Amino acid sequence: GAGVSQSPSNKVTEKGKDVELRCDPISGHTALYWYRQSLGQGLEFLIYFQGNSAPDKSGLPSDRFSAERTGGSVSTLTIQRTQQEDSAVYLCASSLSWGPYEQYFGPGTRLTVT
Amino acid sequence: DQQVKQNSPSLSVQEGRISILNCDYTNSMFDYFLWYKKYPAEGPTFLISISSIKDKNEDGRFTVFLNKSAKHLSLHIVPSQPGDSAVYFCAASPPGGQNFVFGPGTRLSVLP
């Protein structure tokens, strides 16, 4: 595709359930980033991938959060046992490579935990 | 402990006038800076960037100024247009650029 795509666009889940968010980066982009934006807050870095490896997991808020990337392309962000404070817009971005390259963002997934 | 600060949560400007959005950072190791614009229900879109070896970068109506000694950068939009109304995020990256740190954003409203 021409841009970064994310699915689902909206997800409403009950507290305690697991959710999986998907990101399809721009073809050929080797770096992939996950952020989240809570209501009224700025963008919070979660994790990035260079290829299939994630050198920096320090931004993940807790061990309920995990992410993987396969084939150097699609990435999934999994949140286990969701809590209400997990409600946010989860944004994925990709760039040509790691380094100071512009990041291209997807439209985000709005997660609401009830 | 915010490493990138945008102290004005909102800014209103008349159409045709200049918009100046400010950003301050605390980490002197940051050497690459970007501005993103975000419309509601959309992901941020890249606007303009600047490397620490420069103090100014211009692209059409958008100019970014970097003052390294003050750890301050600003985005100037001239002339401002109603379509510029959005949230503007400043982002900074250390050498290597593995991680971008974003500011909280400034909501710009350009009034017709």
Side-chain angles (χ1 to χ4, degrees):
Chain A
V4 178
S5 61
Q6 291 185 247
S7 61
S9 56
N10 276 288
K11 177 72 177 178
V12 180
T13 190
E14 290 180 354
K15 177 182 172 181
K17 295 284 180 70
D18 298 352
V19 295
E20 196 171 272
L21 313 179
R22 177 187 167 108
C23 172
D24 280 275
I26 292 173
S27 177
H29 281 193
T30 60
L32 186 147
Y33 305 77
W34 283 99
Y35 298 87
R36 74 176 175 182
Q37 184 174 23
S38 302
L39 189 63
Q41 303 295 314
L43 291 169
E44 176 189 1
F45 167 76
L46 297 178
I47 191 170
Y48 90 95
F49 290 88
Q50 175 57 28
N52 291 333
S53 64
D56 183 1
K57 300 181 180 180
S58 62
L60 293 175
S62 74
D63 57 8
R64 296 184 296 103
F65 287 72
S66 63
E68 65 174 17
R69 188 181 186 195
T70 55
S73 181
V74 172
S75 175
T76 53
L77 177 70
T78 301
I79 309 173
Q80 296 178 308
R81 305 180 302 283
T82 52
Q83 303 294 313
Q84 288 187 331
E85 62 263 27
D86 300 334
S87 296
V89 176
Y90 288 81
L91 289 155
C92 174
S94 70
S95 65
L96 198 60
S97 180
W98 70 270
Y101 295 97
E102 293 82 16
Q103 297 181 13
Y104 296 83
F105 283 81
T109 293
R110 180 175 297 280
L111 175 65
T112 304
V113 182
T114 60
Chain B
D1 180 28
Q2 273 190 328
Q3 295 190 71
V4 178
K5 303 175 185 179
Q6 294 176 258
N7 292 322
S8 297
S10 63
L11 173 69
S12 292
V13 171
Q14 209 68 34
E15 180 180 4
R17 306 294 290 270
I18 184 171
S19 295
I20 301 177
L21 298 113
N22 293 305
C23 177
D24 296 283
Y25 59 96
T26 59
N27 188 343
S28 59
M29 296 299 291
F30 288 146
D31 68 350
Y32 191 70
F33 305 89
L34 307 92
W35 283 94
Y36 285 83
K37 177 169 74 172
K38 185 179 185 302
Y39 294 116
E42 294 183 13
T45 56
F46 170 76
L47 265 181
I48 192 168
S49 64
I50 188 167
S51 163
S52 60
I53 62 173
K54 292 186 171 183
D55 54 17
K56 177 183 175 181
N57 188 24
E58 191 172 352
D59 183 3
R61 296 186 297 115
F62 302 92
T63 303
V64 56
F65 295 92
L66 175 62
N67 182 333
K68 289 184 288 293
S69 61
K71 297 194 190 73
H72 176 83
L73 67 156
S74 60
L75 174 68
H76 292 210
I77 307 173
V78 181
S80 302
Q81 300 173 354
D84 296 329
S85 298
V87 177
Y88 288 78
F89 290 97
C90 167
S93 174
Q98 289 97 330
N99 177 20
F100 285 84
V101 181
F102 283 77
T106 296
R107 180 177 300 280
L108 172 66
S109 299
V110 180
L111 309 172

